[in-house]
Amino acid sequence: MNATLKRTIEEAVLPPLVALVVALIVGDLLILAYGQAPSAVWRLLIDGTWGNAYGFGQVLYKATTLTCTGLAVAMSLRAGLFNIGAEGQLAAGGFGAGLAGLALPAGTPAFLAVPICVMAAMLCGGLVGAVPGALRAKFGAHEVIVTIMLNFIVLALLNYFVSAKLHVPETLHTPGVHAGGLPRLSNLIGVFHGSAANWTIVIVALAAVAAWWFLFKTRAGYELRAVGLQPDAAEYAGVNVGITWRNALIVSGALAGLGGINFVLGYKGYYEDGFSGGAGFLGIAVALVGRNHPLGVVIAALFFATLSQGGLAINAMVPKQIVEALQGIVIVAVATSVPEVRRILRNAVSKSGGQH
Amino acid sequence: MGALLFFAQTVRIAIPYLFAAAGGALAERAGVVSLTLEGFMLGGAFGAVLGSYYTHSAWIGLVVGVAWGLGLAAVHAVSAIRFKADQIVVGVAINLFTVGITRFFLQLAFGSSSNSPRVAGFGGDGVAGAAGFLTNPLIWMGVLVMPVVWWIVQKTTFGLRVRAVGEHPMAAASVGVPVNRVRYVAVLASGALAALGGVYLALDQHQFTDSMTAGRGFIALAAVIFGRWDPLRAGLACLLFAAAETLQIQLQAAQLIPSQFVAMIPYVLTIIAVAGVVGRSRAPAALGRTED
């Protein structure tokens, strides 16, 4: 195997392995503190996720949303920006899809209704992404601060719309969509019965391929990555850095917004306040573990979805919140070991290079 | 009397913001991003309830709460400073971890997924009026914390070093400032201070409830940024945000403005501030960068 490729793979795989070991040790301690046997809990976690069709369907469902938010964060990081507004963009996307589905007349054929709702989701997410994008391009406002603040603004605004204008009485959700709903996978593959996995998974898989194509096969994607690596050099080479940043955050927001259709069109058939439930923030973890590569993002999304669903599976033995703590530990451990592993590998290379 | 009540209510709401923003100002001036304030506060709140529950002493609750803040801050500091991990990623992760671990221990210690039993706080039991206000030492500490942090940052050798490592770490190192040690102290102090905000919240309500900080750490961060990273201005921003909340609570019956719009005020003001519409808000030059 060629040495550069080998190092790239080592750099990508070692930090998550370190994180897994750390999480297993802390997890063991927490499980023991709760008076349960770690091996039994871990076995239950695997059985309840990858061990049966329902659990696996739930993993796929959760991974679908996380792939979108992970792609969103990865897209921004490739441009050298950090979009931590995926949570609000995801919610806005779901709201957009729900509104579009409500506005369409019942009986609109799916080949029209679904694309309209999907575009509404991406448009709403993209609009939320455009705010930090434009402020960054125009005023140099730091996108991290703007996206954090915008999360709260968007969630409060959506909460206002739903609670004051659009809700079904006694609930915090909108009426069901008239058109644009996506069928469950269980209609096609019976064993998934009961799980929320739905056709969004196909749309999101296509989005992941499109994101890969855009980043690595198009001129705009090349420019975006160039800006992310060296904004000054890219500017010198004739790339408009401000516009690239703005566009990257719009695309990023649109990808996060797309994730909203999974819940709204594929699962419940309506927008519900608070459905995003932290999936936007987990997108940061997904992008980090997935090394900002669409394929890595999909794998990392499956991993974090397994943990989320696994929490429910083990809830009878230990509180499901243990997985939230473990997710936090995995992220800290990956973030901490990424620069360290890189340093160690680089040192190893320069040493072997010096031996002639 | 109405004005006095308004003022008292505003101070009450502002105390957790003031503690957390004091911590945030210190860490950010030293160049370390403070997305973690929310987690430090939540950890502090939970620690306070644990300590107070098992010893029936609010003071021991305070100590345990601060210990939680210090522990979480140590994780943040070691990964950000020693290992040069991305501070934003670690910050988000620490917040996530704290929500999970406090829920886990809430189940383990109290067998509840929502709240702890009632614990001892400062002052009399359920004293809501002026007496409870004046006998709570955390209120006095909270009122004084911003001037003290301002004095430390602006007038002491340590403060000079904090500012130096936040602006020009290389230059600071070249004149012998121990850059990493200054940053460790600043981050640990921010953990302890933000935790005090959580301690106040929990002991004021005499219990811990799931995710009880409810975004207050981010409001505190907004106050730091809106206050242009200056402790005194950040303190005023905390009071401003708290006054808006008080107004909203007092006007709630009248239903003049939906509460969601009042809740947005700190965030909208902060975005306007960083966009530089009225005077650019500029971050410490080395904020978020520990690689040099």
Side-chain angles (χ1 to χ4, degrees):
Chain A
M1 194 191 295
N2 124 7
T4 332
L5 181 66
K6 182 159 171 275
R7 207 176 75 206
T8 312
I9 293 175
E10 282 176 348
E11 270 190 41
V13 171
L14 283 177
L17 284 181
V18 172
L20 208 57
V21 171
V22 175
L24 277 174
I25 293 170
V26 178
D28 281 354
L29 294 176
L30 291 176
I31 292 166
L32 286 171
Y34 211 77
Q36 297 284 5
S39 59
V41 172
W42 297 130
R43 192 167 315 126
L44 194 60
L45 191 150
I46 298 295
D47 284 348
T49 51
W50 293 67
N52 68 74
Y54 165 77
F56 186 62
Q58 287 297 98
V59 169
L60 287 181
Y61 168 73
K62 292 185 173 178
T64 304
T65 310
L66 290 178
T67 297
C68 286
T69 55
L71 285 174
V73 177
M75 185 64 73
S76 73
L77 284 171
R78 284 282 179 180
L81 300 178
F82 207 149
N83 172 19
I84 52 178
E87 188 77 16
Q89 291 150 4
L90 172 65
F95 188 70
L99 272 193
L102 268 178
L104 289 170
T108 311
F111 74 89
L112 275 176
V114 170
I116 289 173
C117 291
V118 168
M119 296 223 288
M122 296 184 77
L123 185 74
C124 286
L127 273 176
V128 177
V131 175
L135 292 178
R136 173 87 208 205
K138 255 209 157 87
F139 302 110
H142 203 294
E143 80 286 351
V144 169
I145 296 169
V146 176
T147 50
I148 299 173
M149 301 300 151
L150 212 52
N151 274 335
F152 291 101
I153 296 172
V154 168
L155 294 175
L157 206 60
L158 293 176
N159 176 271
Y160 168 75
F161 283 136
V162 175
S163 63
K165 305 282 176 199
L166 266 172
H167 65 291
V168 173
E170 308 295 319
T171 72
L172 267 178
H173 63 72
T174 63
V177 293
H178 302 137
L182 288 163
R184 303 270 178 102
L185 281 188
S186 54
N187 295 357
L188 193 71
I189 312 165
V191 288
F192 282 133
H193 185 73
S195 89
N198 61 78
W199 283 94
T200 304
I201 200 167
V202 177
I203 298 171
V204 170
L206 290 174
V209 173
W212 171 81
W213 179 264
F214 169 75
L215 277 173
F216 298 103
K217 298 287 164 190
T218 69
R219 187 194 163 90
Y222 177 79
E223 288 182 353
L224 183 146
R225 288 183 294 128
V227 166
L229 289 172
Q230 276 292 344
D232 294 338
E235 181 91 63
Y236 188 70
V239 180
N240 188 327
V241 173
I243 301 272
T244 307
W245 273 338
R246 190 197 64 195
N247 293 347
L249 284 176
I250 292 175
V251 173
S252 171
L255 284 166
L258 176 66
I261 68 169
N262 195 32
F263 178 91
V264 172
L265 300 181
Y267 177 32
K268 290 286 185 168
Y270 52 71
Y271 172 85
E272 185 165 18
D273 192 51
F275 86 87
S276 53
F281 291 115
L282 263 190
I284 297 168
V286 170
L288 170 78
V289 174
R291 311 287 294 174
N292 301 330
H293 189 287
L295 178 63
V297 163
V298 170
I299 296 169
L302 282 168
F303 170 74
F304 281 100
T306 303
L307 271 184
S308 294
Q309 180 61 24
L312 299 175
I314 61 176
N315 200 25
M317 293 183 79
V318 287
K320 60 177 184 289
Q321 290 83 9
I322 191 174
V323 301
E324 294 170 20
L326 294 183
Q327 282 170 339
I329 287 168
V330 167
I331 304 167
V332 172
V334 172
T336 303
S337 50
V338 161
E340 195 68 9
V341 165
R342 188 181 302 140
R343 229 176 347 262
I344 292 168
L345 291 175
R346 299 264 150 97
N347 284 347
V349 167
S350 60
K351 257 184 207 147
S352 65
Q355 280 165 359
H356 291 299
Chain B
M1 189 60 209
L4 195 63
L5 210 64
F6 183 87
F7 178 73
Q9 174 88 321
T10 299
V11 171
R12 235 195 163 87
I13 292 176
I15 296 295
Y17 299 159
L18 287 165
F19 276 120
L26 205 54
E28 296 233 330
R29 285 303 281 269
V32 182
V33 177
S34 282
L35 282 189
T36 43
L37 294 177
E38 178 77 6
F40 295 165
M41 284 180 95
L42 190 64
F46 190 72
V49 165
L50 273 188
S52 179
Y53 177 79
Y54 287 111
T55 66
H56 308 289
S57 157
W59 283 104
I60 293 181
L62 186 153
V63 171
V64 177
V66 168
W68 270 70
L70 284 172
L72 292 167
V75 174
H76 186 48
V78 170
S79 44
I81 300 166
R82 161 69 180 82
F83 290 98
K84 306 181 193 320
D86 187 299
Q87 299 167 12
I88 295 165
V89 172
V90 175
V92 170
I94 284 180
N95 292 339
L96 184 69
F97 169 78
T98 313
V99 171
I101 203 74
T102 52
R103 284 179 176 166
F104 180 82
F105 280 114
L106 194 59
Q107 280 279 359
L108 184 60
F110 306 118
S112 162
S113 57
S114 58
N115 59 281
S116 76
R118 194 177 164 78
V119 299
F122 287 109
D125 209 28
V127 185
F133 194 82
L134 298 176
T135 53
N136 188 341
L138 280 169
I139 290 199
W140 294 105
M141 288 160 72
V143 168
L144 291 174
V145 70
M146 275 305 188
V148 169
V149 168
W150 175 84
W151 179 77
I152 290 172
V153 168
Q154 296 297 340
K155 303 287 175 190
T156 66
T157 313
F158 174 71
L160 181 65
R161 290 176 161 194
V162 165
R163 283 179 285 142
V165 303
E167 292 289 342
H168 290 293
M170 302 261 271
S174 72
V175 294
V177 175
V179 174
N180 285 354
R181 207 184 312 158
V182 171
R183 284 184 169 153
Y184 273 117
V185 173
V187 174
L188 288 174
S190 86
L193 285 168
L196 281 175
V199 169
Y200 167 83
L201 265 183
L203 294 185
D204 190 51
Q205 297 177 18
H206 293 271
Q207 65 170 354
F208 179 86
T209 50
D210 178 28
S211 301
M212 71 186 300
T213 45
R216 285 183 178 83
F218 289 100
I219 293 188
L221 179 65
V224 172
I225 298 163
F226 187 64
R228 301 185 200 177
W229 287 270
D230 173 84
L232 282 186
R233 285 171 193 246
L236 291 176
C238 290
L239 289 173
L240 174 71
F241 296 166
E245 260 178 74
T246 308
L247 200 62
Q248 190 262 319
I249 292 167
Q250 300 203 342
L251 293 181
Q252 206 152 39
Q255 292 279 346
L256 289 177
I257 319 165
S259 63
Q260 292 95 338
F261 289 91
V262 180
M264 284 178 207
I265 290 173
Y267 311 118
V268 172
L269 286 178
T270 304
I271 288 181
I272 292 172
V274 288
V277 177
V278 265
R280 172 64 53 80
S281 181
R282 197 187 70 82
L287 185 60
R289 302 214 316 266
T290 36
E291 65 270 23
D292 33 29

